[in-house]
Amino acid sequence: MKKGFTLIELLIVMVIVGVLVTIALPKYYASMERGRAVEGINNLRAISDAANAQYLLNGNAYPNFLFSSSAQDVADITKSQYFGAPQITGTSSELRVLSVRLDDSYHLLAYNSGGELMYIQCVGQEATCLNIGMELSDGKYKMDFTK
């Protein structure tokens, strides 16, 4: 009797491996995107924490220098491989920090009010926002820090 595999056995193994790869790749890509989103969220939280500290030091008002071009240069320090430099806008009582995914698939927006980070919102495709851990609340996909 000959030792080895028949052509049918090899084809069956190849079909099984193909099915497993078809199932595994979307999960792999989703977990990679979650990791990239965590980097963007951490950058927004770091900028928000620094801005909220300035809010407290400035007598409960966001100082004007946060909205100047020099503050944008400081925000550029957090630029990553997957997100552009965060853009800071706001008033003396509220602050928004926007970070755009370089492939423009979604945007992350941190909303600060009264010296606290209120929420980080995902603006983009529903599936992407849900995949990176955002919850639907008040018609927005966001990570709420007020709870």
Side-chain angles (χ1 to χ4, degrees):
M1 187 162 209
K2 291 184 180 181
K3 293 183 179 186
F5 297 105
T6 66
L7 184 58
I8 298 295
E9 290 171 331
L10 290 174
L11 286 174
I12 290 172
V13 168
M14 287 174 54
V15 167
I16 291 171
V17 168
V19 168
L20 291 174
V21 166
T22 303
I23 293 170
L25 277 180
K27 299 287 185 188
Y28 171 74
Y29 291 134
S31 66
M32 291 297 292
E33 190 56 47
R34 271 193 302 277
R36 293 178 185 126
V38 165
E39 179 184 34
I41 290 168
N42 286 340
N43 287 344
L44 291 179
R45 289 190 73 157
I47 292 170
S48 293
D49 288 346
N52 290 331
Q54 287 298 321
Y55 176 89
L56 295 174
L57 292 172
N58 195 45
N60 294 340
Y62 291 108
N64 288 334
F65 73 82
L66 287 175
F67 312 117
S68 69
S69 60
S70 62
Q72 299 300 334
D73 293 341
V74 170
D76 195 35
I77 292 170
T78 63
K79 187 166 65 172
S80 71
Q81 185 176 356
Y82 305 106
F83 288 88
Q87 302 162 2
I88 302 170
T89 59
T91 64
S92 63
S93 62
E94 63 182 34
L95 179 94
R96 290 182 180 87
V97 185
L98 175 70
S99 189
V100 179
R101 180 81 162 78
L102 289 177
D103 67 3
D104 209 29
S105 56
Y106 60 92
H107 304 188
L108 296 174
L109 174 70
Y111 177 76
N112 299 271
S113 178
E116 290 185 54
L117 175 60
M118 306 306 279
Y119 60 84
I120 295 178
Q121 178 183 351
C122 175
V123 179
Q125 296 178 353
E126 175 183 356
T128 303
C129 292
L130 287 173
N131 176 48
I132 63 174
M134 301 292 172
E135 296 177 356
L136 185 60
S137 175
D138 302 327
K140 300 175 184 176
Y141 290 97
K142 61 185 180 179
M143 200 177 282
D144 197 346
F145 297 106
T146 60
K147 296 179 182 178

